[in-house]
Amino acid sequence: MAKKSYARDLTQKPILRQMIVFVFPIMLSGVLQILFNAADTVVVGRFAGNEELAAVGSNTSLITLMTNLFIGLSVGANIICARYIGAKEEDKVHDTVHTAVLVSVLSGLFLSVVGIIGARQFLIWMSVPEDVIDLAVLYLRIYFLGMPAMMVYNFGAALLRSIGDTTRTLYYLMAAGVVNVVLNLILVIPLQMSVAGVAIATVVSQYISGGMVIRCLLHEDSAIHLNLRELRVYPARLKEILMIGLPASVQGCVFSFANIAIQSSINTFGSVLLAGNSAAASVEGFIYLPVNAFYQAVMPFISQNLGAKQYHRLNRVFWSAALSVLVVGEVLGLGSILLSDPLLSIFTTDPAVIAAGQIRFNSYFAIYGLYGLMEVLVGSIRGLGYSIMPTIIYVGGICGVRLTWLATVFQMEQYHTIQTVYYAFPVSWFITIPILVVAYIYAYRKTQKQLGIA
């Protein structure tokens, strides 16, 4: 019996239909991935207490900042690998795969050391409340033991997406997610390990998903087959990965830094509002990841078609992703507002915490499709090979606006409210999207001119 192939040629067949098939497993995978942290939040909120819930939630922005430092490089691996796959240059695909996997292991080890050593100081800088900080430090230090596995999974998943495979990572996350939830319940309820229990459960699940991805690459028959004996850094491929991935890493880090500033402002409002924000942020994760799936899809779609010289499909890929993400973002955003009570009740039974979470819902969830459009614009520009330009725009339009907003409007006595903090999100979207539209038009036309197809 022939072995089932999960690879997809993204240069043929109707784009919208292919994109839906490609994106759906990413959406489900994203939902499962956010369940790792959401399961932590639900279990500690229900069976430990508000302080434990706040401790877990207060780490989210910091974890995102530190992981974005290297996960952005997986974007470079994805784009470069997809382009060489489209061009059928298997030697260069081989070198990209082995360079990317080694980088993932080294970056994970680095993050573990830095996270464990610096946990308390990082959280002090974030103004985490004194009644929460000891629990938050414990959670963070255990969590960062899983960084090597998290990096391996993300780089491996990026390589699989480059061949059009988004299905197997879904299976791996399903298995890891079940283990995570079961361990959460065992370690927190009967064993009463509180935040340590949920952190241990998350780390175990990360090693399961990371290990399964490595096993998949080792047994892969396509160009992305992994041979551990050939793991090394190939300088030419590393340079190409860095050219695309490093700006994406910088963008992710600065973006996360701006969100840490927002989180630090939220932390000043006390543990009830902090717990409500943690619950609302967990719900938002279930909206963000399906929306972000289109960002992850548009890059390999454009890259494969560019490598295969299917230039007439490039702009069609963008429009298919843009229209789809607007619909998905609005449906999920508006639906979450309508269902805010039952959704927040999953995480806590405290009416004050639920009311605090609804403030975040009502501040910007109704226009969440705009965030998705912004992500698709960035992914499309990056897929065309322009990585520095969207980074500059993102840093200025998103991060700069949010930090300026907190330093000016939020400091005014009449606007010193948690609603004002949340408004930093939509304000930055409205400013950044028009600039990205102009940037995409420029990148697309310049690509046409360079290829002689204008």
Side-chain angles (χ1 to χ4, degrees):
M1 181 181 293
K3 184 177 179 181
K4 180 179 179 180
S5 175
Y6 290 89
R8 295 189 186 94
D9 185 349
L10 306 181
T11 65
Q12 305 295 327
K13 300 179 181 180
I15 294 171
L16 182 59
R17 185 173 67 188
Q18 262 203 324
M19 185 166 290
I20 292 173
V21 173
F22 184 94
V23 161
F24 189 66
I26 299 181
M27 288 184 177
L28 293 181
S29 297
V31 169
L32 287 173
Q33 197 163 26
I34 202 65
L35 273 173
F36 288 175
N37 193 49
D40 298 349
T41 309
V42 170
V43 172
V44 296
R46 285 279 188 171
F47 301 106
N50 286 346
E51 289 183 0
E52 287 79 2
L53 175 61
V56 172
S58 64
N59 278 293
T60 303
S61 297
L62 178 60
I63 290 170
T64 303
L65 169 65
M66 296 187 69
T67 54
N68 278 349
L69 180 64
F70 292 104
I71 286 180
L73 297 182
S74 71
V75 171
N78 174 269
I79 290 174
I80 297 303
C81 199
R83 189 166 301 172
Y84 286 137
I85 287 169
K88 303 188 184 306
E89 298 186 52
E90 293 193 2
D91 289 346
K92 293 180 179 179
V93 174
H94 167 276
D95 295 353
T96 303
V97 168
H98 289 80
T99 299
V101 171
L102 183 56
V103 168
S104 72
V105 174
L106 296 176
S107 61
L109 292 172
F110 173 80
L111 284 172
S112 289
V113 173
V114 172
I116 292 169
I117 293 175
R120 180 171 293 275
Q121 187 58 56
F122 294 149
L123 293 168
I124 290 173
W125 288 338
M126 288 180 62
S127 303
V128 172
E130 290 185 7
D131 59 341
V132 170
I133 193 165
D134 287 339
L135 292 170
V137 169
L138 176 62
Y139 178 84
L140 189 62
R141 284 177 172 161
I142 297 173
Y143 189 98
F144 268 88
L145 292 173
M147 280 299 107
M150 177 186 282
M151 290 297 109
V152 165
Y153 172 80
N154 280 282
F155 274 76
L159 294 172
L160 288 170
R161 286 196 299 273
S162 72
I163 63 168
D165 178 12
T166 57
T167 304
R168 282 179 287 186
T169 51
L170 171 61
Y171 298 155
Y172 306 152
L173 279 173
M174 288 175 66
V178 170
V179 171
N180 185 58
V181 172
V182 171
L183 284 179
N184 269 326
L185 295 173
I186 293 173
L187 296 176
V188 175
I189 302 174
L191 298 182
Q192 298 184 346
M193 294 180 67
S194 184
V195 297
V198 294
I200 291 170
T202 299
V203 169
V204 171
S205 66
Q206 287 169 344
Y207 276 97
I208 290 174
S209 59
M212 294 180 81
V213 164
I214 288 295
R215 183 181 181 277
C216 170
L217 293 175
L218 289 171
H219 291 85
E220 177 62 35
D221 291 333
S222 71
I224 64 167
H225 170 74
L226 175 67
N227 186 335
L228 295 180
R229 294 179 180 178
E230 297 176 14
L231 276 180
R232 62 178 59 89
V233 172
Y234 294 85
R237 303 291 81 80
L238 178 61
K239 181 180 178 180
E240 290 176 330
I241 290 172
L242 291 176
M243 289 284 289
I244 299 291
L246 195 56
S249 293
V250 171
Q251 174 185 310
C253 289
V254 178
F255 176 71
S256 297
F257 177 76
N259 284 345
I260 284 179
I262 290 175
Q263 182 67 53
S264 298
S265 299
I266 294 169
N267 290 345
T268 63
F269 287 96
S271 59
V272 172
L273 282 175
L274 178 56
N277 175 74
S278 297
S282 294
V283 175
E284 183 176 352
F286 289 98
I287 305 172
Y288 163 77
L289 286 173
V291 165
N292 179 258
F294 288 95
Y295 164 75
Q296 296 183 48
V298 78
M299 291 185 291
F301 263 82
I302 287 181
S303 296
Q304 268 202 30
N305 281 281
L306 198 58
K309 300 181 180 180
Q310 297 290 326
Y311 306 132
H312 64 284
R313 291 168 61 90
L314 300 179
N315 207 32
R316 297 178 189 174
V317 170
F318 164 73
W319 281 109
S320 296
L323 294 175
S324 298
V325 81
L326 281 170
V327 172
V328 170
E330 288 306 298
V331 168
L332 293 177
L334 291 170
S336 65
I337 293 175
L338 294 174
L339 300 172
S340 60
D341 270 339
L343 288 174
L344 291 169
S345 296
I346 296 172
F347 300 92
T348 179
T349 57
D350 188 334
V353 174
I354 292 174
Q358 287 173 328
I359 298 173
R360 181 163 182 159
F361 276 52
N362 295 329
S363 297
Y364 60 89
F365 280 28
I367 55 170
Y368 215 88
L370 291 179
Y371 177 76
L373 175 61
M374 185 174 64
E375 290 280 280
V376 165
L377 282 163
V378 171
S380 298
I381 297 169
R382 196 157 276 144
L384 289 169
Y386 297 86
S387 194
I388 296 177
M389 180 165 53
T391 296
I392 293 173
I393 295 171
Y394 223 87
V395 169
I398 295 294
C399 308
V401 168
R402 291 179 185 179
L403 293 175
T404 301
W405 181 268
L406 294 176
T408 55
V409 177
F410 178 60
Q411 299 305 319
M412 300 178 186
E413 185 177 352
Q414 66 271 36
Y415 298 122
H416 199 78
T417 65
I418 197 165
Q419 290 97 328
T420 301
V421 176
Y422 292 145
Y423 289 152
F425 293 107
V427 169
S428 64
W429 301 345
F430 283 119
I431 292 174
T432 306
I433 288 174
I435 303 173
L436 284 172
V437 169
V438 173
Y440 171 72
I441 294 171
Y442 168 80
Y444 179 69
R445 289 180 176 175
K446 189 172 181 180
T447 299
Q448 284 184 309
K449 185 176 181 180
Q450 289 173 340
L451 297 171
I453 56 174

